[in-house]
Amino acid sequence: YVYGGNSTKGFDCSGLTSYVYKQCGYSINRTASGQLDNGRSVSKSELQPGDLVFFNEGSSKSRATHVGIYIGGNEFVHAANPRKGVVTTSMNSSYYSAYYIGARRVAG
């Protein structure tokens, strides 16, 4: 995990998502809040692998403070923080379920 990072040398959350999408031929905004403007909104019950999932812990004026990529099985991959790095986490985890704000489908 590297704050502001968007390469294999280190990622922050939106750097990871923009990097992965770029590798798949899609150009998306760089920040988590900016990525809320990409694709179309999908409900939590309709999540599919590859969808962007967004969170806002409420301590920031940003529209989104965190983003990851849904991978199925109620899990998502994300650049969590400097201590944990890139990890897979359950959407049902107490932290992320409390701060979930929505999802966007860019591909498909």
Side-chain angles (χ1 to χ4, degrees):
Y1 182 97
V2 174
Y3 181 78
N6 62 349
S7 76
T8 55
K9 293 180 181 178
F11 297 105
D12 64 10
C13 66
S14 57
L16 173 66
T17 55
S18 62
Y19 178 86
V20 169
Y21 269 79
K22 184 176 183 180
Q23 300 309 303
C24 296
Y26 296 92
S27 178
I28 62 174
N29 295 332
R30 174 59 181 86
T31 66
S33 290
Q35 290 175 11
L36 277 168
D37 296 326
N38 294 120
R40 65 178 177 87
S41 180
V42 292
S43 68
K44 196 173 190 179
S45 63
E46 296 175 337
L47 285 173
Q48 294 180 3
D51 290 343
L52 296 172
V53 288
F54 296 90
F55 308 87
N56 190 325
E57 65 185 22
S59 65
S60 168
K61 291 185 179 185
S62 297
R63 294 187 301 154
T65 56
H66 196 65
V67 61
I69 301 173
Y70 186 73
I71 59 170
N74 212 31
E75 294 189 323
F76 70 106
V77 64
H78 60 119
N81 57 49
R83 185 174 41 86
K84 292 183 179 180
V86 176
V87 295
T88 299
T89 302
S90 170
M91 295 285 292
N92 291 333
S93 73
S94 59
Y95 181 86
Y96 290 104
S97 64
Y99 297 120
Y100 177 81
I101 59 168
R104 305 290 294 181
R105 183 164 299 147
V106 174

